[in-house]
Amino acid sequence: MTEELTLLESALFQLKAAAASVNEMQLTITVLSQAIESAQQHLSAAVVNDIDFALNDVAGAVGELSAADAERIAPIVTLLQDDVARLKESTSLPVAVINSIRGFQTKLKARRTAIDRQTYRPEGSPPEPLPHPPEELQREAVPLRQQLTAAGFATPALNGLIADPSSLRFHSITEILNELDVIAG
């Protein structure tokens, strides 16, 4: 277990103690606790993203508390946010993978834009060929999926492209782009 994870667990313990009497926070704290438990089993970039997401919910709940409760709990949430930031740094995806994601997204966006333009072409005019054929995108998606899976990320939208490239449409491109945005941060 990393030092960052140990610090995170310590801050979670403090949060649980400080918020024990605040019923409005119990669900979000439980979700955060479960995400941190997952990190104890297998620490990966995907699990750290889950922790960050859960912590954002906790931070949002603090804004809904009375001033007295918020004053007691907010510093602990800030401590957790700092710990998660350090944990994200130590488990982040390699720059090469992020660059691969961004390059792949650029191709997907070019194809999506071309599909959108075809919708508005004058009646009777021939369609222009779309850039980046689905089979080409599929070939590029396979190693990307392997890298993301190794980092603990699920990629259902990307998997759809890989399984059936001929099904690639405007909306499925958007789903893949959104999925990759969440992963790449």
Side-chain angles (χ1 to χ4, degrees):
M1 183 168 17
T2 69
E3 178 183 339
E4 293 91 357
L5 190 53
T6 302
L7 292 171
L8 192 62
E9 289 173 331
S10 175
L12 176 63
F13 179 78
Q14 292 174 31
L15 177 65
K16 285 180 177 180
S21 64
V22 183
N23 291 334
E24 301 89 347
M25 294 205 55
Q26 296 312 305
L27 178 60
T28 58
I29 291 172
T30 298
V31 172
L32 176 61
S33 181
Q34 290 170 346
I36 292 171
E37 284 179 30
S38 291
Q40 293 170 344
Q41 306 304 313
H42 175 70
L43 186 59
S44 69
V47 171
V48 174
N49 279 0
D50 292 343
I51 293 170
D52 190 39
F53 186 82
L55 182 56
N56 286 335
D57 286 346
V58 170
V62 170
E64 303 294 320
L65 299 177
S66 69
D69 287 337
E71 185 178 314
R72 185 177 72 251
I73 295 169
I76 301 167
V77 171
T78 299
L79 179 64
L80 280 161
Q81 289 169 326
D82 293 344
D83 292 342
V84 169
R86 282 190 295 280
L87 195 57
K88 283 178 92 169
E89 284 179 27
S90 69
T91 60
S92 64
L93 289 170
V95 173
V97 175
I98 297 294
N99 290 341
S100 293
I101 288 171
R102 297 300 182 219
F104 189 67
Q105 286 180 308
T106 298
K107 291 176 182 179
L108 289 170
K109 288 174 185 176
R111 185 167 180 87
R112 183 178 65 178
T113 298
I115 291 170
D116 192 41
R117 281 191 192 127
Q118 277 191 348
T119 306
Y120 300 106
R121 68 182 158 87
E123 188 175 319
S125 66
E128 294 184 24
L130 298 173
H132 310 293
E135 296 74 20
E136 169 193 317
L137 294 168
Q138 177 196 38
R139 284 189 300 275
E140 191 170 335
V142 170
L144 182 58
R145 176 183 63 180
Q146 291 169 341
Q147 293 168 319
L148 297 175
T149 300
F153 290 101
T155 56
L158 193 61
N159 293 348
L161 166 63
I162 292 168
D164 185 11
S166 66
S167 69
L168 188 65
R169 303 283 186 269
F170 185 88
H171 295 293
S172 58
I173 291 172
T174 301
E175 289 172 5
I176 295 168
L177 288 168
N178 291 340
E179 180 175 88
L180 294 174
D181 276 339
V182 168
I183 291 170

